[in-house]
Amino acid sequence: MPEITQRPSPNFGDRRDGLRPTLILIHYTAMDSAQAAIDWLCNPKAEVSAHYVICELGHITQLVAEEKRAWHAGVGQWKGYNDVNSRSLGIELSNRGDHPFAEAQMSALERLLPEMMTRWGLSPKCVIGHSDMSPGRKIDPGPRFDWRRLAQQGLAVWPDEAPATGDWAEAAARFGYDVTHPNCLEAFRARFRPWATGPIDAEDARIAVRLAQSS
């Protein structure tokens, strides 16, 4: 069990309509230090929070009890559901978004995630990025986050190399994306094809179909 420091934030509420966590969202803080992020997430004026913050050295701080609704997701949807805050747990990684994630930080995340997933009965497909459910508005955890590494440990999903054909939009929607959003392809590629450019192509479709088939 990872060692966790408690720093309660006042920025939380009850989950609405009896909802429980069915997702875990990965974020980055976009601030200069973990302490600055924690201070902001605990400031009532900020009206934002998360369940956990992990610093570059791997220290984990819990701000909100998992049973409660932290204010981390904001506007967006996944699999057609809104109010993602009531349906999710949020993990903030201290990172500005312009540099790789530290090894100690990733290792701490890999210790924390299995415990959260076990507590709430969540599968790897339930671990998503902030940009997945809010394309365009949010870009974290960004193209430098190693989703493949998490998937290799059963902590997220990653497409295999099997051939597949189909419609990208239909498959991406089945996986969970809001394909009506103009920035959806950008969010999809940020996670699965970080350096791809141009219009939707056969590899986008293949990846989306394989993801949909496994979800």
Side-chain angles (χ1 to χ4, degrees), residues 133-209:
M133 54 76 53
S134 191
R137 190 178 69 86
K138 294 295 180 179
I139 60 172
D140 54 314
R144 292 177 177 83
F145 185 75
D146 196 344
W147 286 104
R148 186 195 295 264
R149 170 174 168 160
L150 287 191
Q152 289 172 341
Q153 300 176 69
L155 302 176
V157 295
W158 189 260
D160 59 24
E161 299 299 323
T165 58
D167 180 71
W168 175 82
E170 188 275 333
R174 276 202 293 149
F175 181 61
Y177 284 98
D178 175 12
V179 297
T180 67
H181 196 286
N183 297 104
C184 187
L185 176 62
E186 181 182 354
F188 176 87
R189 283 179 168 172
R191 178 166 174 183
F192 298 110
R193 298 184 71 195
W195 313 118
T197 59
I200 295 168
D201 61 26
E203 181 62 6
D204 292 316
R206 187 197 71 79
I207 290 171
V209 169

Side-chain angles (χ1 to χ4, degrees), residues 13-36:
D14 292 328
R15 296 184 184 275
R16 296 170 180 165
D17 302 321
L19 293 171
R20 62 184 298 280
T22 56
L23 295 169
I24 298 175
L25 263 62
I26 307 296
H27 307 254
Y28 64 53
T29 59
M31 300 187 74
D32 287 336
S33 71
Q35 190 57 56

Side-chain angles (χ1 to χ4, degrees), residues 109-122:
L109 176 64
E110 290 158 356
R111 295 193 301 273
L112 179 62
L113 276 175
E115 295 192 0
M116 298 172 69
M117 294 165 73
T118 297
R119 275 194 289 274
W120 298 100
L122 304 182

